[in-house]
Amino acid sequence: MTSQQPPSEFVTALESLKGQQFRPEIHVAQIPGPTRIAPWAVALQAEVNDSPTLDPDYLRGSAKFVVLHDPAGQPAWNGTFRIVIHAQAAMDAAMGDDPLLGEVAWSWLADALDANGASYHSLNGTVTRVFNETFGGLYLNSSRVELELRASWTPQTVYLTEHLHAWADFAASMAGLGPWSETVRSIGRKVDKI
């Protein structure tokens, strides 16, 4: 980020991220944004964890949500804002062997964006499947498959609430959480200080 005053469009985008609520397994905190891709950025990180104390034994996955803003625009973005996400989660072996897993994971993202009413264009990304096998004396996680998705898109508005909720819903789907209608969790205070 620069030392200048942030542009009003970026301030509006930040305001639209504040005070949002998520399901209790989604623990969100602000992290430092990237400094080389765009003049203005903010980043959030989520840990998907069934434990309110973030016990590592209950970790289901993690995700990042980054908002980039370049008032001059960037040709690849076809706009002045770009949202970049990254998510990863362990899959059970049966699901990890499914040849359509990448397509299914990609559809979870598109479905989450559409279900939340997020208007966007220029969606692109990759889905990577990593198969880990453990050998030797220590039992770590035996064999497991990790799924990782990286994606970016250009929002068609500076109000990013729907995009943030789509990201949280996608992270929940990728981490294997079912539908949710219980109490919600408010985003941490750090974000309120953006």
Side-chain angles (χ1 to χ4, degrees):
M1 284 201 183
T2 68
S3 59
Q4 305 168 2
Q5 283 290 96
S8 61
E9 281 190 326
F10 187 64
V11 172
T12 300
L14 293 181
E15 289 296 321
S16 73
L17 299 176
K18 292 181 182 178
Q20 302 305 313
Q21 299 179 336
F22 308 98
R23 60 189 295 162
E25 302 93 344
I26 307 285
H27 306 271
V28 179
Q30 186 175 351
I31 60 174
T35 57
R36 295 183 181 176
I37 303 170
W40 302 96
V42 66
L44 301 174
Q45 180 170 298
E47 181 173 315
V48 184
N49 193 311
D50 291 327
S51 165
T53 60
L54 301 180
D55 183 331
D57 289 338
Y58 294 93
L59 177 67
R60 289 177 166 259
S62 62
K64 291 181 184 172
F65 180 88
V66 179
V67 177
L68 304 171
H69 178 56
D70 186 342
Q74 294 192 15
W77 299 358
N78 194 19
T80 60
F81 279 90
R82 191 75 175 165
I83 294 174
V84 179
I85 68 162
H86 172 257
Q88 61 186 48
M91 300 281 143
D92 65 42
M95 189 171 193
D97 287 340
D98 187 335
L100 298 176
L101 180 59
E103 291 177 42
V104 170
W106 189 258
S107 73
W108 292 334
L109 176 59
D111 290 349
L113 287 165
D114 294 341
N116 281 280
S119 58
Y120 64 94
H121 61 83
S122 305
L123 172 64
N124 59 47
T126 62
V127 178
T128 305
R129 182 181 349 201
V130 178
F131 183 70
N132 296 302
E133 293 181 272
T134 301
F135 299 96
L138 291 177
Y139 173 82
L140 297 174
N141 283 320
S142 186
S143 298
R144 69 180 196 173
V145 176
E146 289 189 0
L147 189 67
E148 183 176 286
L149 182 139
R150 296 174 189 273
S152 65
W153 64 88
T154 300
Q156 294 182 183
T157 176
V158 297
Y159 300 100
L160 304 179
T161 304
E162 293 84 5
H163 299 268
L164 182 65
H165 284 282
W167 164 73
D169 289 351
F170 166 71
S173 294
M174 194 157 154
L177 297 176
W180 172 71
S181 62
E182 297 176 23
T183 58
V184 289
R185 173 178 160 75
S186 186
I187 203 167
R189 288 187 176 262
K190 287 186 177 183
V191 173
D192 292 336
K193 297 178 182 177
I194 295 176

